[in-house]
């Protein structure tokens, strides 16, 4: 190390580089990104308004923001017919209630997706809508048609604005190990799944991980959630360089992990900006979350794994040609996401990503990155591949926890 490497001038140079990146972002995306607080769609607002005024029998309906335990107790007090009636009458509410029975949420969300599909089909044929608007409506209509297919378990759905969703692979109710895939920038309903490069989209990521977990431990009852139930930044702009959207996402992620059924152990598998969400969520994670694994991370809003203040094991990986590594790992005035989780000083368990290519290749079948995620997801820690080809990333872990 020469004197320049350790001098204040290096810090100044990095700060200037960070600011230069921000100015480029502003020039290309504008300040409007700071003002996207998420629109409130009339369908969602109408559903919540109707719910607040509604009753079932002699009972008032609970506040949708009630605790999962309170909501679970409410639904348990109803007859099966009453539960179905609520799902059919208020699908956009029931489908997003942490604490509502899983099968009821799946039913409600399928109805909500079908209604959204019909709404978009009507927009396609509405002469008052611009040609571009009709084209966009067509894309959304086809997406919703796919999401409503038989056998899909939609855990959350909100068509407001760019939209949010979550989908379950496996039997979440009986799972002993649950992995939650938290994606990054440009995640919305249109990118929730892809035909081209499917493993770069949340549905493809989660489906690929579910298959890999079953291969890694066939007897483990596992489930994987494609969790796109937060408002992600659109493009590499100001929102992607700040933690505002990640903070909102962290609150929603903690609500999900706290409300999962049973006593399953949970792993968070966080990609790109999703690792910022996971970093901010870390301090409030319930004890059932045993592992937080990040890939292609721009930072976790912390200077070290210790600063995350979590009991969960923290893992990190990055492939050699991931462009994310050229970003300045700094936090200046709220811009940037802090230290690089791959550095020794950060203190994460550094995994191999051999076989992955680029920023979006971590969930491709046959890669060590996917195999490592799967081993973490099922608790087979002794099978993980460390970045240094040794066993440093497994130090201090006594045996496997496959259950």
């Amino acid at each position: 190390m020469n004197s320049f490497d350790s001098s204040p001038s290096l810090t100044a140079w990095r700060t200037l580089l960070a600011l230069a990146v921000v100015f480029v972002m502003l020039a290309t995306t504008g300040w409007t990104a700071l003002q996207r607080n998420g629109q409130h769609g009339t369908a969602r607002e109408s559903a919540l308004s109707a719910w607040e005024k509604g009753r079932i029998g002699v009972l008032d309906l609970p506040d949708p923001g009630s605790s999962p335990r309170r909501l679970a107790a409410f639904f348990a007090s109803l007859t099966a017919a009453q539960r179905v009636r609520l799902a059919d009458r208020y699908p956009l509410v029931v489908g997003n209630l942490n604490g509502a029975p899983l099968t009821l949420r799946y039913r409600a969300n399928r109805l909500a997706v079908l209604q959204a599909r019909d709404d978009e089909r009507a927009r396609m044929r509405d002469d008052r809508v611009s040609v571009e608007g009709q084209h966009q409506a067509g894309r959304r209509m086809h997406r919703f048609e796919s999401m409503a297919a038989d056998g899909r378990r939609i855990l959350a759905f909100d068509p407001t604005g760019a939209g949010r969703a979550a989908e379950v692979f496996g039997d979440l109710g009986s799972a002993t190990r649950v992995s939650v895939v938290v994606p990054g920038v440009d995640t919305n309903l249109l990118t929730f799944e892809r035909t081209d490069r499917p493993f770069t989209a949340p549905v493809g990521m989660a489906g690929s991980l579910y298959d890999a977990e079953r291969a890694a431990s066939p007897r483990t009852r596992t489930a994987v959630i494609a969790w796109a139930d937060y408002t992600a930044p659109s493009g590499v702009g100001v929102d992607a360089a700040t933690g505002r959207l990640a903070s909102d996402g962290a609150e929603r992620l903690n609500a999900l992990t706290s409300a999962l059924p049973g006593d399953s152990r949970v792993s968070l598998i966080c990609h790109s900006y999703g690792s910022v969400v996971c970093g901010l969520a870390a301090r409030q994670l319930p004890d059932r979350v045993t592992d937080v694994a990040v890939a292609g991370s721009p930072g976790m809003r912390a200077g070290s794994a210790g600063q995350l203040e979590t009991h969960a094991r923290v893992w990190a990986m990055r492939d050699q040609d991931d462009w994310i590594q050229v970003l300045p790992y700094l936090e200046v005035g709220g811009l940037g996401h802090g230290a690089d989780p791959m550095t020794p000083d950060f203190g994460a368990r550094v995994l191999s990503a051999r076989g992955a290519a680029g920023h979006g290749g971590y969930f491709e079948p046959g890669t060590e990155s996917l195999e490592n995620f799967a081993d973490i997801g099922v608790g087979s820690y002794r099978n993980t591949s460390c970045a240094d080809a040794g066993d440093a990333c497994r130090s201090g872990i006594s045996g496997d926890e496959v259950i």
Side-chain angles (χ1 to χ4, degrees):
M1 179 183 293
N2 59 40
S3 60
F4 176 74
D5 290 332
S6 58
S7 69
S9 60
L10 177 58
T11 300
W13 181 85
R14 286 176 173 168
T15 301
L16 288 173
L17 179 57
L19 293 175
V21 170
V22 170
F23 289 139
V24 169
M25 290 176 182
L26 293 176
T28 56
T29 64
W31 288 100
T32 55
L34 290 172
Q35 302 171 358
R36 287 197 302 268
N37 292 316
Q39 307 166 23
H40 295 285
T42 56
R44 174 75 171 158
E45 283 188 335
S46 297
L48 287 169
S49 177
W51 173 272
E52 290 169 2
K53 301 171 185 175
R55 296 171 67 87
I56 188 76
V58 297
L59 298 175
D60 291 329
L61 302 183
D63 183 342
S66 299
S67 70
R69 180 174 295 183
R70 164 77 178 90
L71 292 171
F74 168 75
F75 282 102
S77 72
L78 305 179
T79 66
Q82 287 176 319
R83 288 193 288 268
V84 169
R85 194 180 314 153
L86 286 179
D88 292 354
R89 188 179 299 170
Y90 310 103
L92 274 175
V93 178
V94 174
N96 295 288
L97 290 180
N98 288 320
L102 289 175
T103 55
L104 198 67
R105 291 183 69 172
Y106 298 155
R107 176 190 179 96
N109 283 321
R110 187 169 192 276
L111 293 173
V113 169
L114 287 170
Q115 182 59 60
R117 178 203 63 183
D118 293 343
D119 291 344
E120 297 298 342
R121 181 178 288 138
R123 290 187 69 242
M124 288 172 59
R125 300 167 180 168
D126 190 338
D127 293 338
R128 296 169 297 178
V129 177
S130 68
V131 172
E132 181 181 353
Q134 289 177 340
H135 174 70
Q136 189 79 345
R139 293 182 64 200
R140 285 169 63 94
M141 187 272 290
H142 288 299
R143 171 64 64 245
F144 299 153
E145 202 160 57
S146 174
M147 291 176 66
D150 290 341
R152 297 190 67 168
R153 300 180 176 95
I154 306 300
L155 184 65
F157 176 74
D158 182 358
T160 301
R164 299 191 294 247
E167 182 171 2
V168 173
F169 292 81
D171 187 345
L172 185 57
S174 67
T176 57
R177 304 283 312 200
V178 175
S179 297
V180 183
V181 175
V182 184
V185 167
D186 286 331
T187 296
N188 54 55
L189 285 175
L190 285 178
T191 61
F192 188 52
E193 56 185 298
R194 290 191 178 104
T195 302
D196 181 44
R197 301 178 66 226
F199 305 119
T200 64
V203 168
M205 292 176 178
S208 180
L209 179 57
Y210 179 62
D211 290 343
E213 289 186 354
R214 295 178 71 190
S217 182
R219 291 185 295 179
T220 300
R221 298 196 307 275
T222 185
V224 178
I225 302 173
W227 191 78
D229 194 26
Y230 81 104
T231 300
S234 177
V236 186
V238 174
D239 277 341
T242 64
R244 181 178 63 85
L245 294 180
S247 181
D248 292 341
E251 184 176 345
R252 298 179 68 84
L253 182 59
N254 278 321
L256 168 81
T257 55
S258 298
L260 291 173
D263 57 359
S264 57
R265 297 181 184 179
V266 179
S267 299
L268 303 184
I269 310 297
C270 320
H271 177 243
S272 192
Y273 188 84
S275 66
V276 185
V277 176
C278 292
L280 289 174
R283 294 163 181 81
Q284 301 298 323
L285 290 174
D287 289 343
R288 70 192 309 177
V289 179
T290 58
D291 299 273
V292 177
V294 303
S297 174
M300 300 181 71
R301 291 256 142 188
S304 67
Q307 288 182 11
L308 293 174
E309 299 177 13
T310 178
H311 60 276
R313 285 174 285 266
V314 180
W315 309 77
M317 68 170 73
R318 185 171 63 221
D319 71 68
Q320 292 183 345
D321 60 351
D322 188 335
W323 60 263
I324 201 78
Q325 63 192 302
V326 305
L327 294 181
Y329 282 89
L330 295 169
E331 191 278 321
V332 181
L335 297 169
H337 302 302
D340 183 354
M342 293 291 291
T343 61
D345 287 346
F346 190 85
R349 300 172 181 272
V350 182
L351 295 160
S352 169
R354 186 175 292 111
H359 188 59
Y362 294 98
F363 293 84
E364 288 282 345
T367 59
E368 286 192 4
S369 52
L370 178 63
E371 292 170 1
N372 277 325
F373 284 152
D375 287 331
I376 291 169
V378 300
S380 185
Y381 302 111
R382 66 181 175 185
N383 290 325
T384 54
S385 302
C386 303
D388 61 2
D391 60 0
C393 69
R394 298 188 295 272
S395 66
I397 301 177
S398 56
D400 286 353
E401 298 180 11
V402 177
I403 54 176

